[in-house]
Amino acid sequence: MTITFDLTGKTAIVTGANTGLGQGIATALAQAGASIVAVGRSPMEETERRCRAFGVDFHSVQADLSTLEPIERIVSEAAEFGGRVDILVNNAGIIRRADAIAFTERDWDDVMNVNLKSTFFLSQAVARTMLADEAGGKIINIASLLSFQGGIRIPSYTASKSGLAGLTRLLACEWAAKGINVNAIAPGYFVTNNTEALRNDPKRSSEILGRIPAGRWGEPDDLGGAAVFLASPAANYIHGIVLPVDGGWLAR
Ligand code: NAD
């Protein structure tokens, strides 16, 4: 048996690919040979430039995943562009910070809608196409350390990411025998917009850094290898895991 991480000829949807971890993941999948469908609210010029540098095709879909409205359009545009969707990376996500005692319904719903509800229904729509042609595929959810831990001042984020770990396991159980691998990656503390407030708080920032065995925050490129691995044939017998990429945080 040949072990391969090659994604040549595959088409991957990556949500929230205009910045941060989504941009890093899209770039890594492109480097491994996949054509990229980048989904998000904002322009994708930088992501497109990085992906095309590896000679792959690139298509962007303007979509706001705070509602289910764009789901069918994303899947049909991706299928038209790539022939079929082989890989889905559910990366788009938001965070709202406030004490639990004062947390608003708005901050609850906004986070749950993007991080959990749209992720589920986009996975469902993509899986329907994968099941229809019986060629299988890979679904990768971007979870969090808050899939394992409680955190503070981020109740809807923790609920959404803990829920996403459970959803990953449920979908893996339903679809594993049908050739779809559903797994998650749990990034540790990475340098992106998502963690800007933490990094700007000197006390929290040094507390976090002091707990990371690797001795540094993650950079978006640090996540690419895990995404390529889970998207590749090398992971064909891996179902329902939440893979930490955290500089050793959870080992502490
Ligand atoms: P980021 O803010 O740079 O990226 C978030 C992405 O999601 C952006 O591309 C944004 O446009 C997109 N997005 C947000 N709301 C959207 C919507 N309504 N419709 C479409 N796209 C939307 O932050 P990031 O750190 O790169 O976050 C990416 C993912 O990684 C998120 O799911 C986040 O929860 C997760 N994560 C990040 C860290 C970290 O340390 N940075 C740690 C664990 C998990």
Side-chain angles (χ1 to χ4, degrees):
M1 182 187 144
T2 312
I3 293 175
T4 177
F5 301 96
D6 184 18
L7 302 179
T8 304
K10 305 291 185 191
T11 299
I13 297 178
V14 182
T15 67
N18 58 306
T19 56
L21 303 186
Q23 186 173 68
I25 291 167
T27 307
L29 296 177
Q31 187 170 9
S35 299
I36 302 298
V37 178
V39 177
R41 292 169 302 182
S42 326
M44 300 280 174
E45 284 96 353
E46 175 60 17
T47 308
E48 177 166 5
R49 190 187 61 71
R50 291 188 190 197
C51 292
R52 284 198 190 278
F54 296 106
V56 300
D57 290 334
F58 184 95
H59 178 71
S60 67
V61 181
Q62 198 93 11
D64 181 347
L65 288 164
S66 60
T67 74
L68 303 185
E69 176 277 324
I71 300 280
E72 290 303 327
R73 181 166 53 87
I74 293 167
V75 178
S76 62
E77 272 195 43
E80 196 173 322
F81 160 77
R84 83 183 295 272
V85 178
D86 304 285
I87 299 157
L88 167 65
V89 182
N90 287 305
N91 165 78
I94 57 172
I95 193 165
R96 297 278 166 77
R97 296 176 197 278
D99 293 340
I101 203 74
F103 212 73
T104 64
E105 184 177 3
R106 174 89 193 266
D107 283 343
W108 180 270
D109 287 344
D110 286 354
V111 170
M112 296 300 266
N113 283 342
V114 179
N115 295 13
L116 201 51
K117 187 174 179 182
S118 289
T119 293
F120 171 69
F121 283 101
L122 183 56
S123 301
Q124 181 195 63
V126 168
R128 283 176 177 161
T129 69
M130 291 172 170
L131 296 176
D133 69 7
E134 298 182 1
K138 313 280 188 194
I139 297 177
I140 301 167
N141 296 322
I142 302 306
S144 163
L145 295 178
L146 288 317
S147 301
F148 303 99
Q149 301 180 311
I152 49 167
R153 308 191 70 246
I154 45 173
S156 57
Y157 188 79
T158 298
S160 72
K161 296 297 185 177
S162 295
L164 190 53
L167 185 61
T168 300
R169 291 188 281 267
L170 172 129
L171 296 178
C173 292
E174 289 206 18
W175 298 337
K178 299 183 163 114
I180 302 176
N181 299 76
V182 186
N183 290 294
I185 296 171
Y189 287 89
F190 279 68
V191 179
T192 69
N193 300 333
N194 176 290
T195 54
E196 194 174 1
L198 289 181
R199 285 178 288 110
N200 288 342
D201 177 338
K203 184 166 174 290
R204 287 284 284 130
S205 175
S206 74
E207 280 169 1
I208 288 167
L209 189 58
R211 220 208 106 145
I212 302 174
R216 65 175 178 86
W217 289 63
E219 296 290 339
D221 286 349
D222 287 317
L223 215 57
V228 169
F229 166 56
L230 289 176
S232 78
N236 278 354
Y237 198 58
I238 297 179
H239 296 279
I241 65 158
V242 183
L243 173 63
V245 179
D246 65 353
W249 175 279
L250 288 175
R252 191 100 178 197

